[in-house]
Amino acid sequence: MSKKLLLEKAHVEGIRYFDVYRREGGYRSVEKALKEMSPEAIVEEVKKSGLRGRGGAGFPAGMKWSFIAKPEGVPRHLVCNADESEPGTFKDRYLMEFIPHLLIEGLIVSSFALGSNDTYIYIRGEYAWIVDILEQAITEAKNNGFLGKNILGSGFDCDIHVQRGAGAYICGEETALIESLEGKRGNPRIKPPFPAVKGVWDRPTVVNNVETLAAVVPIINMGGDEYAKIGVGRSTGTKLISACGNINKPGVYEIDMTISVEEFIYSDEYCGGIPNGKKLKACIPGGSSVPILPANLLLKTAKGETRYMNYESLADGGFASGSMMGSGGFIVLDEDQCVVRHTLSLARFYRHESCGQCSPCREGTGWMEKILKNIEYGNGKMSDIDLLWDIQRKIEGNTICPLGDAAAWPVAAAIRHFRDEFEWHVLNPEESQERNYGLAHYADPIHVPVG
Amino acid sequence: MSDQQQLFKVTIDNITIEVPAGTTILNAARKIGGDVAPPAMCYYSKLEGSGGKCRTCLVEVSKGSEKDPRPMPKLVASCRTTVMDGMEVKNITSEKVLDARAGVVEFLLLNHPLDCPICDQAGECHLQDLSYEHGKEGTRYEFQRRTFKKHDIGPYIQLHMTRCILCYRCVFTADQLTKKREHGVLDRGDHAEIATFIEKSLENDFIGNVIDVCPVGALTDKTFRFKNRVWFLKPVDAHRDCPTCSGRVTLWNRGDEVFRVTARKDEWGEVEDTPDGKPGWICNTCRFEKKKTSDWVIEGPRLINRHSVISQGHYAGKVGTHMPTETFEAVNDGRKPKLLMDIHSVSEVNKPEVQLSLIDGPAHSKVFNQNND
């Protein structure tokens, strides 16, 4: 049983309400931070903890906080990114729904550290019922003196506002989120200037993921050094993984990043194996935008070492034979799944969610979807596979925001690792309509070069 | 003051130039000019916040600056990246850039209808130039191109959404030139479109400028629609006393007839500054209503880039055909030309009092009719 920091109390009855949460030791970090620590000390503590952004990119949170500009007389803002729209990722929803006060507590401490008197939660529009939960938690916190004017007599004022999005994936990108928060069309901004210098209403802003901000609470409670001891290497602390797909026990799991991928999929404590005795074919380890890996590369790296559930190990081998931790959306595909169809559905998603601002992403995502549709429905040509590869290559890295990369990577990885399945679709247009390619050789042990 | 005028040394395609701090790579490259200047479809120096969207101006930064010589990991949009001291940029000398640019051109043309033969913008279209200079000869796209429901946006401006490349220039123009913006971008992704909300016409004294900023034929002049091809017209600079705008325009004439009026554009296709340093936007009255030569004070022919189709075989001056200044006598040792037959003695059409050589451009029936009465 690995250590739980965030979801430890998630199933205590009534933890959603202030009284129970407080009785279970909630809001200790606010008392500690506001009474005993300076904002700089909190930033230092978060830096020491090695906490990495949980939204996908894995950028060190303390570092991000220290970049915030502090011009005289200009208010600063903290924005909580709760626009969790990546297919396969639902960890923030779980956290906000079951233990909303943890997020509020983390937000108060982080706002104090960053000097934000008006803090925003930008929440996905589809999470309509969670808005009510959060607003109730905010009201309760306010009534008990943890929010509002002069919190705990420290002279620090803070208000938290919940803003609903309108259901656009792109608004999870931090600058698009800021535009949307300002009431504009959610188009990503061109960086620089970075939000740390010019964010919401041109004021210095920090945008953090829900889980990152919630993780500030245990960091303050136990100290940064103590937190850094959990986990392995530069992957410190615990991570929420939302597992779904062909597994026996889908759900949100908190892991301390020391377990192997194999253990995560097959142990009863976590996913509980694959139903109906099927075999593992492929897996997307970190949300729809990260590269898909076949079973053999997922469980072992190209060097033949065991792959672990942490930032470094999942990324081992780069994109040639590795993937990314991403936002922790763990999607498992068994031998009955078709990778072409799967890639098509992702391409359709990115085509639909592209904001249309810059040309490679706007035109390229639609083109890729049309070609994939042809291949999937038996109208593909052999040259289409190379064409897809060329299109994704021309989108990747040439766009304003990472959505272009996110649209290109799944297609690239699918062709890189599952090219023969694409070719089988092209060569057997009729058969591919009736049956799947199956497991094929994707679970075979890979040849590891000696030395 | 001396701090603000700090000069940065930047090397673009092995040509070094000094520019003030805060200049973008694109503007530094434009100072060098020629092929070094990256193409720009969405950037418009007169519009705040434009640029960064079309990705045609991507360049490779092979050395970040003197202090931090690391190269930038990705290609950057030169229109929105400011230069650093000692920066080294590769534009046409970088394979990566040329490859990415060819890709962007392909993406831009993917859903473009390629209806140049019936498009009023043909001949002065930036997308035509771009695809000619940077594109590939064919397309690999085998699907239906997207279409849109047609919107009527008023009596002056014609919107062809299928031709649009979503550069957002017209949106910025309406935002920054007029008090009320009525059009914007609806929807997202490849079904995003320029439209009004809902079915309004664009009515504003300066809204006609969206025609000038549009790099393609998506926004064209309804009063000029299908009237003529731009390369048959002769651009002349003219001005009038206009109470609302600078009144400095380019008239596009054929003979004496004014076919259309546009703002004066510089070599980058952007509106020229007036002598007081402001962009020379023009009002709707000047653009759409004043279509008689008598409304204007003609200043002289407009100089057009000699590579442009517009400047083919038109008039004397810096560009185009050269009008001979030496006389026949001077060339032929004082001999006068031998007159074999006087055309005026047999023809009713030509008039002896009309000196054809003194007319700029093709002779027009009006030239003869005017002299007749």
Side-chain angles (χ1 to χ4, degrees):
Chain A
M1 190 81 188
S2 69
K3 200 173 174 74
K4 283 192 177 180
L5 296 175
L6 303 175
L7 301 182
E8 194 185 358
K9 304 272 168 59
H11 296 289
V12 175
E13 189 161 345
I15 194 76
R16 193 183 277 176
Y17 304 104
F18 181 85
D19 297 337
V20 180
Y21 183 73
R22 180 81 175 131
R23 198 166 61 232
E24 293 286 333
Y27 288 100
R28 270 186 300 141
S29 68
V30 179
E31 289 170 328
K32 185 176 174 189
L34 269 64
K35 286 182 180 158
E36 296 165 21
M37 296 169 85
S38 67
E40 291 75 26
I42 300 173
V43 175
E44 207 46 51
E45 212 60 39
V46 174
K47 262 190 187 170
K48 264 195 266 174
S49 75
L51 172 68
R52 292 171 70 169
R54 302 294 197 229
F59 191 78
M63 195 100 93
K64 194 173 190 175
W65 286 12
S66 62
F67 288 154
I68 191 168
K70 292 181 175 164
E72 276 298 309
V74 181
R76 300 188 286 274
H77 292 289
L78 170 67
V79 179
C80 170
N81 184 349
D83 191 78
E84 182 184 50
S85 330
E86 182 125 320
T89 307
F90 46 90
K91 62 187 177 68
D92 296 344
R93 163 178 144 183
Y94 191 86
L95 198 134
M96 289 188 289
E97 193 172 347
F98 288 98
I99 185 158
H101 280 286
L102 186 68
L103 173 62
I104 307 296
E105 185 179 347
L107 275 172
I108 300 169
V109 175
S110 313
S111 301
F112 179 66
L114 294 164
S116 159
N117 300 116
D118 282 294
T119 296
Y120 297 89
I121 302 174
Y122 185 91
I123 188 164
R124 180 181 182 192
E126 287 91 330
Y127 288 174
W129 76 101
I130 301 179
V131 177
D132 298 338
I133 296 172
L134 287 174
E135 286 198 324
Q136 189 190 353
I138 290 167
T139 316
E140 283 178 338
K142 205 173 215 169
N143 291 343
N144 287 282
F146 284 101
L147 272 176
K149 294 250 174 282
N150 195 12
I151 300 167
L152 303 178
S154 64
F156 174 65
D157 306 335
C158 181
D159 270 312
I160 299 177
H161 312 273
V162 183
Q163 175 63 46
R164 267 181 76 183
Y169 174 66
I170 190 65
C171 291
E173 199 276 339
E174 59 178 359
T175 51
L177 185 151
I178 288 169
E179 287 276 300
S180 176
L181 191 63
E182 288 179 6
K184 300 176 191 154
R185 186 184 157 82
N187 276 358
R189 289 179 184 172
I190 295 142
K191 291 183 263 190
F194 287 92
V197 181
K198 272 186 170 185
V200 185
W201 300 293
D202 283 355
R203 296 164 180 172
T205 305
V206 166
V207 183
N208 274 133
N209 180 260
V210 170
E211 194 191 336
T212 317
L213 291 165
V216 172
V217 176
I219 289 171
I220 297 301
N221 281 339
M222 63 201 291
D225 289 327
E226 209 47 42
Y227 185 88
K229 282 180 193 158
I230 308 166
V232 55
R234 286 178 58 229
S235 306
T236 60
T238 60
K239 173 93 184 79
L240 297 184
I241 303 285
S242 52
C244 63
N246 301 113
I247 46 174
N248 277 319
K249 288 163 63 190
V252 177
Y253 297 100
E254 185 166 5
I255 59 161
D256 63 3
M257 304 208 243
T258 54
I259 61 167
S260 68
V261 177
E262 192 166 3
E263 187 189 345
F264 185 73
I265 296 177
Y266 291 105
S267 85
D268 284 336
E269 195 187 329
Y270 301 107
C271 302
I274 292 163
N276 307 326
K278 299 275 182 192
K279 294 198 187 71
L280 175 72
K281 180 178 184 181
C283 172
I284 300 176
S288 67
S289 61
V290 309
I292 187 172
L293 285 180
N296 48 15
L297 278 174
L298 176 74
L299 303 178
K300 290 220 159 46
T301 65
K303 289 179 224 144
E305 294 155 1
T306 311
R307 212 183 268 282
Y308 291 95
M309 294 285 287
N310 61 49
Y311 289 96
E312 283 78 27
S313 186
L314 282 175
D316 188 277
F319 279 1
S321 65
S323 184
M324 274 171 83
M325 185 82 178
S327 55
F330 197 83
I331 308 169
V332 179
L333 278 67
D334 73 10
E335 57 186 297
D336 286 347
Q337 305 308 316
C338 171
V339 172
V340 179
R341 190 171 188 84
H342 172 82
T343 311
L344 167 65
S345 80
L346 290 183
R348 185 169 53 221
F349 173 78
Y350 287 108
R351 183 253 180 105
H352 185 70
E353 296 295 343
S354 166
C355 78
Q357 196 181 198
C358 49
S359 20
C361 176
R362 176 182 67 232
E363 309 291 351
T365 49
W367 194 6
M368 287 200 300
E369 191 214 331
K370 285 175 187 161
I371 295 172
L372 279 166
K373 215 180 225 166
N374 268 358
I375 298 177
E376 165 64 18
Y377 293 109
N379 304 317
K381 294 196 297 281
M382 227 30 157
S383 61
D384 283 347
I385 303 170
D386 289 329
L387 181 57
L388 269 179
W389 182 264
D390 195 48
I391 299 169
Q392 70 80 18
R393 195 174 60 81
K394 278 174 174 159
I395 299 175
E396 194 210 332
N398 291 343
T399 53
I400 295 174
C401 80
L403 192 137
D405 303 342
W409 289 343
V411 177
I415 297 176
R416 188 183 294 123
H417 300 303
F418 298 90
R419 194 181 176 107
D420 47 348
E421 184 161 353
F422 281 82
E423 287 174 359
W424 179 80
H425 264 260
V426 171
L427 295 173
N428 305 288
E430 270 144 46
E431 197 184 350
S432 69
Q433 302 307 298
E434 284 153 20
R435 71 170 190 94
N436 279 327
Y437 190 55
L439 183 63
H441 56 89
Y442 296 123
D444 294 352
I446 35 169
H447 171 70
V448 181
V450 185
Chain B
M1 200 64 203
S2 60
D3 298 332
Q4 286 176 351
Q5 286 305 313
Q6 197 188 355
L7 289 177
F8 280 173
K9 215 175 239 165
V10 54
T11 308
I12 306 171
D13 285 345
N14 302 323
I15 302 170
T16 307
I17 188 176
E18 279 198 343
V19 291
T23 313
T24 58
I25 298 174
L26 183 85
N27 281 334
R30 281 184 176 182
K31 277 191 181 166
I32 299 170
D35 287 343
V36 176
M41 300 297 286
C42 66
Y43 173 76
Y44 204 85
S45 62
K46 312 292 191 291
L47 296 171
E48 206 183 307
S50 67
K53 296 180 187 351
C54 68
R55 317 308 282 179
T56 55
C57 69
L58 290 175
V59 292
E60 183 184 342
V61 176
S62 49
K63 182 182 167 194
S65 68
E66 208 57 70
K67 277 183 207 147
D68 181 9
R70 286 177 301 170
M72 292 194 186
K74 291 198 233 172
L75 302 182
V76 297
S78 60
C79 60
R80 290 293 291 261
T81 311
T82 49
V83 298
M84 303 298 282
D85 199 22
M87 187 185 255
E88 278 173 23
V89 181
K90 283 182 178 176
N91 178 21
I92 47 172
T93 48
S94 163
E95 283 289 323
K96 239 165 102 187
V97 169
L98 296 181
D99 183 48
R101 197 168 285 159
V104 172
V105 175
E106 188 175 24
F107 286 135
L108 285 175
L109 291 173
L110 215 56
N111 277 302
H112 193 79
L114 294 175
D115 55 350
C116 306
I118 55 149
C119 177
D120 278 325
Q121 189 86 0
E124 53 175 18
C125 175
H126 291 218
L127 191 57
Q128 275 185 331
D129 296 347
L130 180 80
S131 43
Y132 183 72
E133 282 159 25
H134 302 281
K136 301 242 163 72
E137 63 272 20
T139 180
R140 298 177 288 176
Y141 191 66
E142 296 167 340
F143 305 93
Q144 274 216 321
R145 287 158 199 253
R146 65 163 174 252
T147 50
F148 295 90
K149 191 175 154 267
K150 273 208 165 165
H151 292 291
D152 186 7
I153 55 169
Y156 291 134
I157 303 168
Q158 180 70 37
L159 172 66
H160 285 280
M161 195 48 224
T162 46
R163 295 174 187 158
C164 180
I165 58 162
L166 286 169
C167 68
Y168 284 63
R169 276 183 188 177
C170 59
V171 181
F172 286 117
T173 309
D175 242 354
Q176 291 164 26
L177 251 62
T178 68
K179 289 200 183 73
K180 198 168 144 226
R181 171 163 69 85
E182 276 150 339
H183 76 288
V185 178
L186 294 188
D187 287 333
R188 64 177 180 223
D190 57 0
H191 41 283
E193 59 174 320
I194 299 282
T196 53
F197 191 76
I198 299 168
E199 299 290 334
K200 279 184 180 163
S201 65
L202 301 183
E203 275 164 12
N204 190 292
D205 276 353
F206 282 89
I207 201 68
N209 287 300
V210 297
I211 298 168
D212 279 346
V213 299
C214 186
V216 294
L219 292 163
T220 49
D221 189 337
K222 254 189 194 170
T223 61
F224 174 62
R225 206 164 177 232
F226 305 140
K227 291 263 168 66
N228 220 316
R229 311 277 4 189
V230 287
W231 56 87
F232 292 140
L233 301 178
K234 191 171 55 177
V236 289
D237 280 347
H239 66 264
R240 69 180 270 263
D241 260 339
C242 178
T244 40
C245 70
S246 65
R248 293 159 56 84
V249 300
T250 301
L251 302 182
W252 295 76
N253 289 0
R254 187 161 180 179
D256 271 354
E257 215 174 321
V258 178
F259 273 84
R260 67 165 182 170
V261 183
T262 65
R264 298 184 188 178
K265 293 186 191 174
D266 62 15
E267 57 181 318
W268 311 111
E270 295 178 1
V271 167
E272 231 177 41
D273 283 341
T274 55
D276 58 1
K278 287 181 192 156
W281 306 111
I282 60 168
C283 66
N284 283 5
T285 322
C286 288
R287 185 185 301 271
F288 300 118
E289 313 286 351
K290 304 291 175 192
K291 295 276 181 104
K292 273 186 251 151
T293 355
S294 53
D295 295 329
W296 299 95
V297 182
I298 308 275
E299 291 169 16
R302 173 100 198 133
L303 301 183
I304 296 282
N305 185 319
R306 68 192 169 87
H307 297 297
S308 168
V309 65
I310 296 166
S311 68
Q312 297 309 303
H314 259 330
Y315 43 75
K318 188 177 158 195
V319 293
T321 43
H322 176 67
M323 227 187 218
T325 45
E326 56 276 70
T327 57
F328 191 88
E329 288 95 322
V331 180
N332 279 304
D333 304 325
R335 278 189 292 121
K336 288 211 167 191
K338 195 175 168 190
L339 199 63
L340 295 173
M341 182 189 74
D342 187 359
I343 184 76
H344 301 299
S345 65
V346 290
S347 169
E348 290 289 310
V349 177
N350 278 338
K351 302 276 179 270
E353 61 272 25
V354 176
Q355 289 276 341
L356 286 175
S357 60
L358 293 183
I359 298 168
D360 273 336
H364 201 274
S365 59
K366 278 186 186 166
V367 177
F368 300 102
N369 295 339
Q370 255 176 15
N371 279 286
N372 214 11
D373 50 41

